[in-house]
Amino acid sequence: QVQLVQSGAEVKKSGSSVKVSCSASGVRSSSYAIHWVRQAPGQGLEWVGEIHVIFGTTNYAQKFQDRVAITTDEFTGTAYMQLSGLTPEDTAIYYCARAPHNPEYCNFGCCPAWEWGQGTMVTVSS
Amino acid sequence: DIQMTQSPSFVSAFVGDRVSITCRASQGISNWVAWYQQKPGTAPKLLMYAASSLQSGVPSRFSGSGSGTEFTLTISSLQPEDFATYYCQQVNSFPLTFGGGTKVEIK
């Protein structure tokens, strides 16, 4: 059974950075990506970006391109999302999610997220 | 970027009702759509992938259809545990994008 465990809640000041971790366990296949999705209070889901855990290739939403970095430690099975230049508009729950790569349900590496972490609340104050 | 327009944004229905949610893509995306269910205070859960394939463990009252630009998630007989918010997501190309969500509430 795959489980994703994220780091704890963070409170940050505007202009600072935050780094959230996501540790995967119970994964049998190495061909998968870790996605990061955020959800502002009372709002919908917003895709931030993703990384393939073996190849290290990343894809980011244009909105975050200049200030997000998603990395992975293949030895520990941990992925990280660092977001810099924080503003109060970045206040949200940040989820990591695992997307296995399988041509049955993926289109050239674009895959749905099968398992999700519990979420990490990031609060940014001015 | 591909925009996903989801409707309605809110549905009020009785237990036992049939409910349908629609997602329209801003360009053709074949069948590369996933559907998620999210209950308050919890992470989203994958219901459907490739537009019409049911994720393991998801009840058969959920079904998906569509291709190209229009997609539908249908709950054939709404159960108390189905009251939640539902999101579509296109997985045709990066950046992946979500619809705005549909909240299904008890009437």
Side-chain angles (χ1 to χ4, degrees):
Chain A
Q1 181 183 348
V2 174
Q3 192 173 13
L4 301 177
V5 178
Q6 299 182 222
S7 49
E10 302 265 10
V11 179
K12 295 291 183 180
K13 293 281 191 183
S14 286
S16 66
S17 298
V18 68
K19 191 170 186 177
V20 182
S21 69
C22 172
S23 179
S25 61
V27 179
R28 295 180 183 177
S29 167
S30 59
S31 186
Y32 64 93
I34 293 291
H35 292 213
W36 289 91
V37 174
R38 77 177 189 179
Q39 187 169 37
Q43 302 301 308
L45 303 174
E46 182 174 29
W47 187 79
V48 176
E50 61 105 54
I51 184 167
H52 192 283
V53 297
I54 297 300
F55 302 131
T57 52
T58 55
N59 289 280
Y60 299 126
Q62 180 79 20
K63 175 179 180 178
F64 304 102
Q65 184 83 36
D66 295 336
R67 60 189 188 100
V68 70
I70 297 175
T71 57
T72 187
D73 181 334
E74 65 175 299
F75 299 106
T76 63
T78 301
Y80 302 89
M81 184 211 63
Q82 181 165 354
L83 189 63
S84 58
L86 292 171
T87 72
E89 287 66 45
D90 293 314
T91 294
I93 299 173
Y94 289 76
Y95 293 103
C96 67
R98 191 184 78 100
H101 280 208
N102 185 312
E104 178 187 349
Y105 42 80
C106 297
N107 185 40
F108 294 105
C110 297
C111 307
W114 283 49
E115 301 99 5
W116 295 65
Q118 83 276 20
T120 296
M121 182 70 210
V122 175
T123 303
V124 184
S125 63
S126 53
Chain B
D1 298 2
I2 297 173
Q3 308 303 316
M4 299 297 285
T5 304
Q6 198 171 331
S7 62
S9 55
F10 178 85
V11 172
S12 182
F14 292 105
V15 170
D17 281 353
R18 180 183 182 91
V19 171
S20 291
I21 299 166
T22 298
C23 239
R24 286 188 173 85
S26 58
Q27 64 189 70
I29 56 171
S30 185
N31 67 335
W32 300 114
V33 163
W35 290 93
Y36 301 88
Q37 176 193 64
Q38 186 180 33
K39 296 182 180 179
T42 69
K45 170 189 170 183
L46 179 66
L47 294 178
M48 201 84 59
Y49 59 88
S52 60
S53 294
L54 206 61
Q55 171 68 316
S56 176
V58 174
S60 59
R61 61 181 179 273
F62 289 91
S63 64
S65 64
S67 67
T69 61
E70 190 157 330
F71 304 88
T72 302
L73 175 72
T74 299
I75 310 172
S76 60
S77 176
L78 204 60
Q79 297 302 299
E81 60 268 30
D82 301 335
F83 292 94
T85 301
Y86 295 83
Y87 296 91
C88 61
Q89 181 193 37
Q90 66 83 14
V91 292
N92 180 77
S93 60
F94 292 115
L96 307 187
T97 45
F98 289 94
T102 296
K103 187 173 184 180
V104 178
E105 287 200 344
I106 300 173
K107 201 166 193 176

